Amino acid sequence: MKVVIVGGVAGGATAAARIRRLDERAQIVVFERSGYVSYANCGLPYYIGGVIQDPAELTLQTPESFWRRFRIDMRVRHEVLAIHPAEKTVSVRDLTTGEEFEEHYDKLLLSPGARPARPELPGVEQDRLFTLRTVEDTLRIRRFVEQERPRSVVLAGGGFIGLEMAENLRELGLDVTIVQRPAQLMSPFDTEMASFLHAKLRQRGVKLLLGRTVEGFEQAQGAVRVRLKDEGTLTADMVVLAIGVVPDSHLAKEAGLELGIRDSILVDDRMETSAPDIYAVGDAVQVKHFVTGEDALVSLAGPANRQGRIAADNICGGDSRYPGPQGSSVLKVFDMTAAVTGINERTAKRAGIACDKVYLSPASHAGYYPGGRVMTMKVLFEKETFRLLGAQIVGYEGVDKRIDVLAAAIRAGMSALDLAELDLAYAPPYSSAKDPVNMAGFMIENLARGLVEQFHWDEVDALPRDGSIVLLDVRTGVEHLRGHLAGSVNVPVDELRARLGELPQGKPVYVVCQSALRSYLACRILAQEGFVCRHLAGGYRLYESVMLERAAAQRSFPCGMDRT
């Protein structure tokens, strides 16, 4: 059996090695357009920033190492020009010599990945504009930074690559501005959770111009002018386009393979395309989302690796199935960590899923052990069934641990109520006896049992201030003075029992504290004294974060940039 693989990196290289482990006699040929067949795609921004010093560290395998260990013929700088399904051949060009030839296959695996979206805007082809996909792109940016010593950069786009580039270039001392059309960075997160990321970036000196549209680029003397719709012009020494990726599916399209959303390659759960003996994996393929069952594009290394393994199994006569990704991912933003799994609230509503959520702000480990830091968690679940839908966490230490527990719970089909029963490891330096994941389960259990009701940050401003309700702040007087909801009265929770007579009977009580713990305790007191009570999910801390972000987003044009 001869297997030809188009593209290396995560999916293609993983599949090649797996095929060899399953079939010692298979002839395996991999064609990779770039000069590197297996490299640490996710590490590229950190080489630009100097965190990774040696470019060789980015190369996981070389053609020589693949041949020595697996006897796999890895041909870099070879571009596949066309696929001929009827003849079972591909047309290939050697980019070094210019030679073109035909290569026969018994099985073909497509792993072309995705290419950076490059909008058709005036001036987009000039030298000081960069995209980041390959090692060659990385070396070009690093060389430019070292030789030209740029002082400022505009990043168009605020996804994973945009934020990682923002951090690394800012750490090098550049003046960094992120511009994008959406009003929020990192679309996998909901608005209120992204507000913590926005605050961190601004704290570290990154300027955010969100909800703005780039209309084009103009060459200036040793710089680039970035024209914004109805906003004027930014001037920077360099521009990095990081507005997302699109499936690199032109070969499949030209070969007549069926395509899916955004021209992605359509595959079944065996990673088979519509053409016999042709498989496809990675960022270029359409998959079924594990949580919603809807068609999706998920450009992450983990799913690409798993798809490569599954395709290899099936190429070698097995019957492996891909159940779909759930989008588990984690991101470093300076000293902060942000992580997500499953779907967010926007996606649930778009899919017609009736969902509810809890927020909590636990410490990363036991409070009495030094060094603990607060994280903010949002856990989504389906109403009625309590099926886990997704989670988002922003914080510092321990974020990755909790998101992985929640990701495993979703994959295992556990309900949100089951989180309370998880037996998780505990020692004071690492966790609390009631782990944050357990705490999320306890909170959802309280909702299920009717022990408490919630209201949310986006309902606060619509609450009546005409005396028909009681808006009760149960924090300390000092906390209340530092900032509070307009119209709230302050009765600290520890004084509440003795001061119940100050609250008018018959009026609903909306209770607020800093993180929603004391407000829950207050609601339990009030409910047992005959009051109808709700508390603010996520507390004043979450509400304040969103409001501060909204205020920051409305401020003036960024300092240090030109406005014309």
Side-chain angles (χ1 to χ4, degrees):
M1 177 177 67
K2 182 176 181 179
V3 182
V4 170
I5 299 175
V6 180
V9 196
T14 294
R18 176 71 172 172
I19 291 168
R20 172 59 72 228
R21 292 195 296 271
L22 296 175
D23 187 344
E24 184 63 24
R25 292 177 177 78
Q27 182 183 356
I28 307 168
V29 181
V30 179
F31 294 115
E32 167 58 41
R33 181 173 46 200
S34 76
Y36 301 84
V37 72
S38 180
Y39 55 87
N41 213 318
C42 300
L44 300 182
Y46 298 99
Y47 174 70
I48 293 170
V51 178
I52 298 171
Q53 294 286 338
D54 186 353
E57 295 292 332
L58 298 172
T59 305
L60 305 178
Q61 294 281 357
T62 65
E64 294 76 18
S65 67
F66 258 107
W67 178 256
R68 285 195 304 270
R69 177 155 295 181
F70 297 110
R71 292 298 187 268
I72 292 172
D73 185 3
M74 291 280 188
R75 303 188 200 177
V76 295
R77 293 195 51 76
H78 280 68
E79 182 177 12
V80 174
L81 305 174
I83 303 167
H84 312 290
E87 294 81 14
K88 302 188 80 168
T89 62
V90 293
S91 300
V92 186
R93 176 185 294 142
D94 184 330
L95 297 178
T96 301
T97 66
E99 175 194 1
E100 295 187 11
F101 58 93
E102 301 289 304
E103 190 82 20
H104 168 76
Y105 66 82
D106 296 309
K107 304 284 185 180
L108 177 66
L109 174 64
L110 304 178
S111 180
R115 65 182 187 277
R118 197 174 182 95
E120 295 182 4
L121 294 173
V124 76
E125 298 300 330
Q126 57 183 288
D127 291 342
R128 289 175 176 265
L129 267 70
F130 302 87
T131 57
L132 180 59
R133 181 194 183 196
T134 65
V135 173
E136 287 89 346
D137 294 335
T138 308
L139 297 177
R140 180 174 167 239
I141 296 173
R142 172 81 175 254
R143 187 163 52 246
F144 179 87
V145 170
E146 290 178 341
Q147 294 177 357
E148 301 296 326
R149 301 291 181 184
R151 293 177 296 176
S152 58
V153 59
V154 169
L155 299 170
F160 286 98
I161 293 295
L163 265 61
E164 289 168 350
M165 286 295 293
E167 176 186 341
N168 280 279
L169 292 174
R170 183 65 187 145
E171 296 283 27
L172 290 177
L174 275 71
D175 188 279
V176 178
T177 301
I178 299 177
V179 182
Q180 69 169 29
R181 184 179 301 168
Q184 174 205 313
L185 301 174
M186 291 301 296
S187 60
F189 291 82
D190 286 313
T191 301
E192 70 278 22
M193 299 299 288
S195 69
F196 293 100
L197 300 179
H198 295 182
K200 174 58 66 174
L201 288 161
R202 288 194 170 100
Q203 177 195 352
R204 291 302 185 98
V206 176
K207 303 174 183 69
L208 303 181
L209 282 180
L210 308 180
R212 269 81 167 194
T213 301
V214 175
E215 287 194 318
F217 307 94
E218 299 171 358
Q219 190 167 359
Q221 187 173 3
V224 182
R225 292 194 184 97
V226 183
R227 289 194 283 109
L228 305 181
K229 183 178 180 181
D230 303 325
E231 289 280 354
T233 303
L234 297 172
T235 301
D237 296 327
M238 63 184 294
V239 172
V240 179
L241 298 178
I243 58 176
V245 295
V246 293
D248 194 355
S249 59
H250 70 280
L251 287 175
K253 185 176 185 178
E254 292 162 5
L257 275 61
E258 289 187 29
L259 302 181
I261 54 178
R262 295 176 62 191
D263 277 351
S264 55
I265 304 172
L266 195 63
V267 294
D268 60 17
D269 60 356
R270 289 170 47 86
M271 309 314 298
E272 292 181 290
T273 71
S274 59
D277 297 321
I278 300 180
Y279 298 75
V281 299
D283 295 353
V285 306
Q286 174 183 295
V287 291
K288 296 289 186 183
H289 197 284
F290 181 78
V291 175
T292 65
E294 294 183 338
D295 296 334
L297 297 176
V298 176
S299 299
L300 294 169
N305 273 283
R306 285 189 286 280
Q307 292 164 17
R309 181 182 176 90
I310 287 165
D313 287 352
N314 295 322
I315 285 171
C316 294
D319 187 26
S320 293
R321 307 278 173 163
Y322 184 55
Q326 62 193 62
S328 301
S329 54
V330 64
L331 174 71
K332 177 181 178 293
V333 184
F334 295 99
D335 59 338
M336 180 174 272
T337 301
V340 64
T341 188
I343 60 174
N344 60 24
E345 194 171 354
R346 290 191 307 275
T347 302
K349 290 177 178 177
R350 190 168 60 244
I353 300 173
C355 70
D356 203 349
K357 69 257 187 180
V358 294
Y359 301 95
L360 59 159
S361 300
S364 55
H365 59 246
Y368 60 84
Y369 189 88
R373 302 187 72 178
V374 170
M375 66 181 77
T376 303
M377 299 174 59
K378 178 179 183 177
V379 179
L380 278 81
F381 56 94
E382 189 173 28
K383 291 181 178 177
E384 305 299 332
T385 68
F386 291 92
R387 175 170 69 109
L388 272 173
L389 300 174
Q392 301 157 50
I393 311 178
V394 179
Y396 299 89
E397 294 82 7
V399 168
D400 53 343
K401 170 183 176 179
R402 274 68 188 211
I403 206 70
D404 282 343
V405 171
L406 289 161
I410 292 172
R411 183 64 56 158
M414 296 173 62
S415 83
L417 298 173
D418 293 330
L419 299 179
E421 305 304 324
L422 289 176
D423 191 352
L424 302 174
Y426 160 63
Y430 303 106
S431 185
S432 301
K434 297 175 183 176
D435 188 87
V437 174
N438 295 136
M439 291 300 301
F442 297 152
M443 294 171 67
I444 295 167
E445 185 180 72
N446 287 337
L447 292 174
R449 294 174 60 187
L451 294 178
V452 71
E453 293 186 33
Q454 303 180 129
F455 68 105
H456 295 286
W457 65 269
D458 53 355
E459 301 174 89
V460 167
D461 292 346
L463 290 176
R465 299 315 203 267
D466 58 1
S468 59
I469 68 167
V470 178
L471 190 54
L472 177 64
D473 190 324
V474 296
R475 297 175 297 163
T476 65
V478 172
E479 290 175 292
H480 187 261
L481 285 173
R482 287 176 183 156
H484 56 267
L485 301 184
S488 62
V489 296
N490 181 218
V491 179
V493 67
D494 293 339
E495 302 173 16
L496 183 58
R497 291 181 180 88
R499 297 174 60 181
L500 287 174
E502 299 177 24
L503 303 181
Q505 292 283 344
K507 292 184 179 181
V509 183
Y510 288 73
V511 188
V512 180
C513 76
Q514 190 67 10
S515 66
L517 173 58
R518 285 171 288 177
S519 59
Y520 162 66
L521 298 175
C523 276
R524 292 305 306 141
I525 294 170
L526 293 169
Q528 294 175 76
E529 294 294 337
F531 289 88
V532 175
C533 182
R534 292 187 175 193
H535 79 132
L536 178 60
Y540 185 77
R541 178 175 177 268
L542 180 66
Y543 174 82
E544 183 182 42
S545 177
V546 178
M547 294 304 111
L548 288 174
E549 167 52 31
R550 287 183 177 177
Q554 293 171 359
R555 290 188 193 124
S556 62
F557 215 66
C559 300
M561 297 292 185
D562 300 328
R563 187 173 189 178
T564 59

